[in-house]
Amino acid sequence: MLTGNLYEHIKFPKANFIMKRGRIVDYKTILGKEVVVTKVKTTKNSITKIIVKQKDSKRFFNSLPSVTIDLEKALVANEINVLYIKQNH
């Protein structure tokens, strides 16, 4: 589902916060970007949260090094797609 900040399950800050930092909020710049999962957390309610950074090491909106995503809900809402899974043993 889309909200005022365009994504409901990807925790981007509000647009005015990004603009206060002198950045332009253009969601087209992040569409199709590949990301790398840097951390996985499971909450008490069994919700999986992942922290991701862009694969090319650039910042989201030239401001944010990483963002948090509610994995299951973002997948169901088609906000993200899984392209490759590498498991560490």
Side-chain angles (χ1 to χ4, degrees):
M1 288 292 189
L2 301 178
T3 63
N5 74 355
L6 194 60
Y7 295 97
E8 185 176 340
H9 308 294
I10 302 174
K11 303 304 178 204
F12 291 118
K14 293 183 179 182
N16 64 338
F17 177 79
I18 296 169
M19 289 185 291
K20 283 180 184 178
R21 300 181 93 187
R23 308 295 187 220
I24 297 172
V25 182
D26 183 5
Y27 290 100
K28 291 178 187 176
T29 62
I30 59 172
L31 290 174
K33 291 285 185 175
E34 290 187 26
V35 296
V36 177
V37 177
T38 58
K39 191 171 190 178
V40 178
K41 300 180 197 177
T42 304
T43 66
K44 293 177 187 176
N45 302 334
S46 299
I47 297 170
T48 304
K49 303 275 185 176
I50 58 174
I51 298 174
V52 300
K53 65 178 184 177
Q54 286 194 47
K55 187 175 180 181
D56 60 9
S57 299
K58 293 183 180 178
R59 293 173 174 252
F60 296 97
F61 307 111
N62 292 323
S63 179
L64 306 166
S66 62
V67 294
T68 302
I69 300 173
D70 182 332
L71 181 62
E72 291 89 358
K73 290 180 181 179
L75 285 168
V76 170
N78 289 320
E79 292 180 0
I80 62 171
N81 295 308
V82 176
L83 298 176
Y84 176 74
I85 298 175
K86 178 182 176 183
Q87 295 181 343
N88 294 332
H89 297 278

